[in-house]
Amino acid sequence: MSEFAVELRDVVKIFPTPEGGEITAVNHINMQIKHGEFFSMLGPSGCGKTTTLRMIAGFEWPTSGEVRIDGHVIGRTPPYLRPVNTVFQSYALFQHMTVFQNVAFGLEMERIRKDEIKRRVGEVLEMVKLGGMEHRKPQQLSGGQQQRVALARALVKRPKVLLLDEPLGALDLKLRKEMQLELKTLQEQVGITFIYVTHDQEEALIMSDRIAVMNRGKALQIGTPVEIYERPTSQFVADFIGETNFLYGTVRFVEADKASVYVPVLDSEVIGLATAGLTVGQKAVISIRPEKIRISDKPILTKNCFSARVTLIAYIGSDTRVSVDINGQRINIWEQNKISSLDTNIYYRENQEVWITLFPENTLVLPEE
Amino acid sequence: MREKKPSLWLRLVSLLIYAYIYIPIIILIVFSFNTQKLNVRWEGFTLHWYEVLFNDANIGLATRNTLLIAITSTIAATIIGTMAALALQRYRFPGYTLIESALYIPVIIPEVVMGISLLAFFAFIQFSLGLLTITLSHISFNIPFVVLVVRARLHGFDKSIEEAAKDLGANEIITFWRVTLPTILPGVLSGALLAFTLSLDDYVITYFTAGPGSTTLPLRVFSMVRFTVTPEVNALSTIWIFTVFIMMLINQLLTRSNT
Ligand SMILES: Nc1ncnc2c1ncn2[C@@H]1O[C@H](COP(=O)(O)OP(=O)(O)O)[C@@H](O)[C@H]1O
Ligand SMILES: [Mg+2]
């Protein structure tokens, strides 16, 4: 067994456009996906997630670069000879077949004995909670159930890698949340490597062992959910995952893992954690998440602490969302409501003068894009 | 929302329109059972004309020819037409629009023109006229109709089901037989039925491409009614109407079962 279940080396995919031009759907992507990993590709629509997945499945061939499955260079091997299976975005169920026939199809292709097929189909249908639905046609099932058939149909093949292209995209929010947990449990149970495509960042954070954040055909950052959220290495990733505040400026000095940025709107320097490769004089952006900013009545640090005026208060139960203004720069802050009180005086009020602190260890300095 | 009932006026007009369409046909059917030889007055019920019809060797031969031509040309046109529809659905190539429009021209141009051109063509390649030339002609005018019907069916065809089949281990051939064809089958059958019906009652093109001994039913009927419409022709037409009617019913059921 090789070290990685799937490996993409410098993969590029260029499509011709109908107008005679070219579009680079995937632009020099490198990924190493470990055995048994729940790996997600996350990015806005059109960033090349589906194309990447289709190159692993064998529906597209890379223009250049190399796809390896379990260590073997897969080249132009057709889909039906690859040890991977796909759960399609549209489910792609065979409408003229029953649930049983749909799931059994892949096993029939392997020429497995009838009784063995029956046993394995029954088993996998139990696993996805579709026991007793064998004889229904896909049109007679709800969206969630159809999704499970698609899943069962791929899982029954016992692939080395399961590819899932926004499998929950068509479900309503509540069902989606249920299925997220169920899919995650299922993956741990069967131990198959999952490569999961989604444009929903919360979904990726909840389910994944590691995430590749993609934009415009590039994998900008690959890491665990915590790494991606807490230590984004680019402005795009910081912006795309969760919410954040940006302050623009110029790098004044870099020292070890810290950097100082002069921010004109604050007329002050802000110190934060430096991303690799920052140089003095470079345009940079400060990124700090709303839940990591401290509000106080008095200054608590000599640096990274600024006087501000509260402009907006929104009480949302678990949190209070406070917007403050510094010289026309708006900053969003989320305060957790840790105390249960009806006394409105414990909350901030509009037009109140406060101090906000950007703790350097919570503040990131990123190159400006 | 509650459906509105049509007004009395609308119902009356509809009734008149239906009467206008169906009264001649009903008269024809009724007179096929009439003891009198002229289609003027009802005299009494008989099955005599059907008996005459079944004992008419010429009619028998014409029926055999017609069915042979219809079945052969339907099968050929359905296979070719379905393949063409699939190709047009799947591939984009230089000259696509031209080829697509060229396919539909036989539907639009007058049948007489098509008949003459086929006759000229067969004469040009010195091919003697007969059952074979009729069949070839029927195949050629039926292909566009099959393509039209199958393409309508393919519209909205989710090609990811073919990818799913391949993903699950099926090669191209198994994918076609087990997934693509069953999915588009209702469209293919509709196309085939249309082709069959068109071939069955084609007169003009058959007239130009028929040779000695290759008379079909429509040709035979025309020669029988050259002077007057006989009850025998009425009987033949009645059987014909019912055959076509049953085929239309089958087509309806096929289309309905898949929407
Ligand atoms: N078969 C194709 N032909 C031409 N362009 C394509 C094709 N497939 C995808 N693209 C283009 O490649 C880009 C990436 O598409 P895709 O991988 O589907 O993105 P995502 O799944 O992230 O939304 C898009 O701009 C899309 O229009
Ligand atoms: Mg996609």
Side-chain angles (χ1 to χ4, degrees):
Chain A
M1 197 156 96
S2 115
E3 189 187 353
F4 300 114
V6 174
E7 206 181 343
L8 303 184
R9 292 194 183 174
D10 217 24
V11 171
V12 175
K13 179 70 192 181
I14 298 172
F15 287 114
T17 59
E19 297 81 38
E22 281 185 345
I23 177 164
T24 308
V26 171
N27 196 354
H28 296 283
I29 279 192
N30 287 285
M31 281 181 195
Q32 293 169 328
I33 297 152
K34 293 177 220 145
H35 291 280
E37 194 170 29
F38 197 121
F39 187 92
S40 291
M41 289 191 257
L42 171 65
S45 151
C47 71
K49 307 178 296 283
T50 298
T51 306
T52 308
L53 209 64
R54 287 170 62 82
M55 285 191 284
I56 301 171
F59 298 123
E60 306 283 0
W61 295 322
T63 309
S64 69
E66 198 171 89
V67 176
R68 288 172 183 242
I69 298 179
D70 202 16
H72 304 288
V73 179
I74 202 85
R76 297 196 159 191
T77 312
Y80 49 88
L81 297 177
R82 298 188 182 206
V84 302
N85 285 108
T86 308
V87 176
F88 290 83
Q89 196 164 5
S90 61
Y91 310 150
L93 298 180
F94 308 134
Q95 301 294 334
H96 60 288
M97 297 186 195
T98 63
V99 168
F100 181 91
Q101 289 166 331
N102 264 280
V103 179
F105 185 86
L107 297 180
E108 282 169 25
M109 294 301 118
E110 292 177 38
R111 304 187 180 286
I112 288 172
R113 284 205 332 275
K114 276 240 153 57
D115 50 339
E116 168 81 0
I117 291 181
K118 210 164 169 215
R119 191 181 60 74
R120 275 173 66 178
V121 172
E123 224 172 70
V124 77
L125 285 178
E126 280 306 319
M127 197 155 76
V128 300
K129 302 186 182 141
L130 280 178
M133 304 259 181
E134 285 86 348
H135 301 298
R136 299 245 190 122
K137 285 277 183 75
Q139 303 102 296
Q140 296 167 295
L141 301 176
S142 70
Q145 288 168 330
Q146 291 186 25
Q147 212 282 317
R148 286 159 196 265
V149 178
L151 192 62
R153 190 175 66 174
L155 275 178
V156 79
K157 298 272 289 179
R158 299 180 182 159
K160 287 211 172 82
V161 179
L162 190 67
L163 310 173
L164 303 100
D165 192 355
E166 309 207 15
L168 309 182
L171 306 180
D172 61 55
L173 189 65
K174 186 164 176 293
L175 196 55
R176 197 154 75 218
K177 302 234 159 179
E178 273 172 43
M179 283 301 291
Q180 285 170 2
L181 296 177
E182 224 176 275
L183 263 181
K184 178 76 184 148
T185 317
L186 193 71
Q187 191 263 341
E188 279 161 11
Q189 191 184 329
V190 295
I192 293 174
T193 310
F194 273 35
I195 304 183
Y196 191 95
V197 161
T198 180
H199 65 264
D200 179 340
Q201 39 127 343
E202 191 181 313
E203 190 166 291
L205 291 174
I206 290 174
M207 300 173 80
S208 319
D209 296 320
R210 282 194 309 150
I211 300 171
V213 183
M214 294 174 56
N215 190 33
R216 297 193 187 172
K218 286 190 179 292
L220 296 180
Q221 191 174 356
I222 300 177
T224 62
V226 174
E227 285 165 355
I228 296 284
Y229 186 82
E230 301 294 350
R231 294 290 181 273
T233 53
S234 62
Q235 194 183 348
F236 178 85
V237 175
D239 194 25
F240 191 72
I241 313 288
E243 294 203 23
T244 194
N245 295 287
F246 287 133
L247 297 168
Y248 294 88
T250 317
V251 178
R252 276 288 162 83
F253 74 81
V254 183
E255 198 180 275
D257 64 337
K258 292 268 166 42
S260 171
V261 175
Y262 175 74
V263 179
V265 73
L266 303 178
D267 190 22
S268 165
E269 283 186 24
V270 177
I271 299 167
L273 297 172
T275 345
L278 277 183
T279 51
V280 172
Q282 186 182 356
K283 294 246 175 252
V285 59
I286 296 283
S287 166
I288 183 157
R289 305 246 181 234
E291 75 278 10
K292 293 190 167 66
I293 301 175
R294 170 84 69 84
I295 313 184
S296 52
D297 297 327
K298 296 191 178 78
I300 47 177
L301 291 181
T302 51
K303 283 181 169 168
N304 280 23
C305 194
F306 306 96
S307 154
R309 188 174 55 85
V310 175
T311 53
L312 208 69
I313 298 279
Y315 174 85
I316 63 157
S318 60
D319 289 10
T320 303
R321 306 216 156 162
V322 183
S323 291
V324 302
D325 177 277
I326 310 173
N327 303 331
Q329 168 77 46
R330 175 192 167 122
I331 293 177
N332 295 322
I333 304 160
W334 299 347
E335 285 263 286
Q336 223 181 17
N337 297 330
K338 285 229 164 115
I339 300 163
S340 174
S341 170
L342 294 175
D343 175 11
T344 49
N345 285 328
I346 71 159
Y347 306 110
Y348 295 96
R349 287 173 308 280
E350 278 174 27
N351 290 321
Q352 187 179 348
E353 294 293 331
V354 292
W355 289 82
I356 62 161
T357 309
L358 319 175
F359 293 102
E361 61 273 26
N362 292 343
T363 305
L364 300 176
V365 182
L366 305 169
E368 187 182 331
E369 277 167 16
Chain B
M1 205 175 76
R2 222 161 60 97
E3 302 228 334
K4 237 174 82 181
K5 274 224 180 93
S7 70
L8 188 70
W9 172 241
L10 185 61
R11 273 185 281 177
L12 194 71
V13 171
S14 313
L15 194 74
L16 284 172
I17 291 173
Y18 271 84
Y20 175 69
I21 299 171
Y22 280 100
I23 283 176
I25 293 174
I26 291 168
I27 290 173
L28 179 139
I29 294 173
V30 169
F31 278 116
S32 77
F33 299 106
N34 192 2
T35 43
Q36 210 211 32
K37 201 165 166 41
L38 298 169
N39 287 330
V40 248
R41 216 176 56 239
W42 177 258
E43 278 199 353
F45 180 85
T46 181
L47 287 175
H48 173 71
W49 306 114
Y50 287 86
E51 206 185 311
V52 173
L53 191 67
F54 285 116
N55 291 326
D56 186 331
N58 281 331
I59 294 279
L61 185 68
T63 309
R64 210 206 58 184
N65 284 346
T66 304
L67 289 177
L68 195 68
I69 293 164
I71 291 169
T72 319
S73 69
T74 298
I75 292 172
T78 304
I79 293 173
I80 298 169
T82 303
M83 291 196 301
L86 281 170
L88 285 172
Q89 153 90 5
R90 225 168 271 193
Y91 307 109
R92 289 289 177 274
F93 41 85
Y96 179 90
T97 324
L98 189 72
I99 290 195
E100 194 192 18
S101 340
L103 202 55
Y104 295 134
I105 285 176
V107 177
I108 307 159
I109 60 167
E111 253 192 292
V112 183
V113 176
M114 181 116 177
I116 292 172
S117 71
L118 282 162
L119 176 62
F121 174 71
F122 289 128
F124 179 70
I125 62 167
Q126 301 189 339
F127 207 88
S128 64
L129 299 179
L131 283 182
L132 188 59
T133 48
I134 304 177
T135 309
L136 289 173
S137 308
H138 282 208
I139 293 172
S140 87
F141 81 71
N142 269 332
I143 289 173
F145 287 99
V146 175
V147 175
L148 269 175
V149 174
V150 175
R151 279 193 91 193
R153 179 75 202 174
L154 278 173
H155 198 81
F157 177 82
D158 178 10
K159 82 176 182 356
S160 68
I161 62 166
E162 289 180 333
E163 291 187 339
K166 283 179 205 152
D167 188 69
L168 293 167
N171 60 27
E172 303 277 349
I173 296 163
I174 297 176
T175 300
F176 177 79
W177 285 107
R178 294 218 33 201
V179 173
T180 313
L181 189 61
T183 307
I184 63 169
L185 194 61
V188 173
L189 291 180
S190 287
L193 262 168
L194 180 64
F196 190 74
T197 327
L198 289 175
S199 170
L200 212 56
D201 75 354
D202 178 73
Y203 176 79
V204 179
I205 288 170
T206 313
Y207 174 79
F208 282 105
T209 53
S214 59
T215 302
T216 64
L217 273 179
L219 295 188
R220 181 85 207 127
V221 169
F222 269 91
S223 71
M224 283 163 83
V225 299
R226 186 151 302 154
F227 305 108
T228 170
V229 178
T230 62
E232 195 185 343
V233 172
N234 288 346
L236 178 63
S237 307
T238 305
I239 294 175
W240 210 330
I241 288 166
F242 277 103
T243 315
V244 172
F245 181 69
I246 287 167
M247 282 183 356
M248 287 216 357
L249 269 184
I250 296 172
N251 194 13
Q252 284 285 316
L253 290 177
L254 278 176
T255 345
R256 187 167 318 157
S257 73
N258 250 281
T259 41

